[in-house]
Amino acid sequence: MIEAFHEAFHHTLPMLPFLAAIFLALEWMEHRYGPSLDRTLRLRGPGGPPAAAALGCVPQCGFSAMASALYARRAVTLGTLLAAFLSTSDEAVPLMLAHGSSAIGALAPILGIKVVLAIVAGLAVDALGRRRNGDAATAAADAGPDAPAPASGRRAACIHPHRPVWRCALERTVLVFAFVLLVTLALEMAVDRAGEDGLRRLLLADSPLQPVIAALIGLVPTCASSVAITEAYLDGAIGLGATIAGLSAAGGAGILVLMRENPSRVDTLRVLALLLAVSIAAGLVVQLVAG
């Protein structure tokens, strides 16, 4: 229990300053603009997915958590959020760097494929959203097909708007961080029971279904999933396609922040389904090309 808590805390702590910064900014703007914030805060445009893809490949989950918090406020598009998730690799980058020069040589093509995938998928999703919803819907939400507006009962703003901005931001940060920490702890304990070797056995060595299974494992928001996928790839147990599928689906703590903050459960499921589908498709294509 103590070891699992240490692992969970170590994994979630790096996202704390990102959460604090984004919630402080959101609280200040909510107090400043009030009800007009939804119209004021729009980080739109074709530069969103490329920027999210570049930041997401930095080896830590703070940027995916930040993207989720902004998407929950409909401040960024669905394509931008998807790009952040797809480029995030959770623990894969530091693990491969720790394995020496041979693993470092394999890191560049993995990151390159993931970043290109994130940019293309993000731009395609945003373009499809604009085409389906039209200019009016894009101006109102610009968050993907049929995306609901933020629910009034769960906003980024503090429940007590007359409190100082810093206190509202602190409360929001603590609530989200506690949620992510507790869920991560539960997942770490579950993985400890199954063992990372058990996760690797699930990857079905020499099976054409490897990318599907790897993506499902990668979607589990705990560092153990990306560790198992990376170790299996370095050991030669899975191919490049399965590795791309698993690490592309590994949104890490950003997935938990989305589950906690997004006002629509249906929309959250749609985001995760899209992330899973794109990751599997990319993995199958890479497996077909790379063999």
Side-chain angles (χ1 to χ4, degrees):
M1 174 69 176
I2 296 177
E3 184 178 352
F5 179 82
H6 179 268
E7 287 292 330
F9 186 78
H10 175 75
H11 182 61
T12 55
L13 184 61
M15 67 180 285
L16 188 58
F18 289 88
L19 287 178
I22 195 63
F23 284 133
L24 183 62
L26 287 173
E27 290 294 345
W28 179 84
M29 287 186 285
E30 179 70 31
H31 282 69
R32 172 67 175 81
Y33 296 103
S36 65
L37 178 61
D38 288 340
R39 297 188 299 273
T40 303
L41 189 58
R42 295 279 176 225
L43 306 178
R44 300 184 296 166
L55 292 173
C57 69
V58 176
Q60 63 113 334
C61 58
F63 292 110
S64 66
M66 182 182 294
S68 293
L70 289 170
Y71 177 77
R73 202 65 172 87
R74 298 305 184 261
V76 297
T77 64
L78 174 58
T80 298
L81 175 67
L82 182 64
F85 280 176
L86 288 170
S87 64
T88 296
S89 300
D90 213 0
E91 296 293 320
V93 174
L95 182 61
M96 296 185 77
L97 291 176
H99 271 71
S101 58
S102 60
I104 294 175
L107 178 61
I110 291 176
L111 288 182
I113 292 172
K114 279 167 54 63
V115 169
V116 171
L117 172 65
I119 294 173
V120 172
L123 291 175
V125 166
D126 281 350
L128 180 62
R130 285 190 294 269
R131 175 175 293 184
R132 290 185 59 183
N133 295 331
D135 292 339
T138 300
D142 200 14
D146 305 320
S152 58
R154 289 185 58 191
R155 302 173 66 88
C158 184
I159 299 174
H160 307 283
H162 298 297
R163 288 184 181 180
V165 169
W166 67 267
R167 181 178 295 180
C168 293
L170 179 62
E171 290 177 357
R172 195 75 174 179
T173 302
V174 169
L175 285 174
V176 173
F177 181 77
F179 172 80
V180 173
L181 178 61
L182 290 175
V183 174
T184 303
L185 175 60
L187 291 171
E188 290 289 345
M189 293 175 65
V191 170
D192 283 345
R193 284 180 175 271
E196 289 185 12
D197 288 339
L199 287 178
R200 292 170 63 180
R201 284 194 297 270
L202 286 175
L203 288 169
L204 300 177
D206 301 322
S207 169
L209 293 178
Q210 268 190 359
V212 178
I213 303 300
L216 289 171
I217 293 177
L219 195 65
V220 178
T222 175
C223 63
S225 58
S226 61
V227 168
I229 291 168
T230 305
E231 290 283 7
Y233 174 68
L234 294 176
D235 291 345
I238 63 174
L240 180 61
T243 305
I244 293 297
L247 296 183
S248 295
I255 293 176
L256 295 178
V257 174
L258 180 68
M259 293 169 61
R260 172 63 178 82
E261 290 296 292
N262 195 6
S264 171
R265 296 286 184 263
V266 173
D267 185 59
T268 296
L269 291 175
R270 180 161 45 213
V271 172
L272 297 181
L274 182 59
L275 174 63
L276 185 63
V278 172
S279 300
I280 291 174
L284 291 173
V285 170
V286 171
Q287 180 175 265
L288 181 65
V289 173

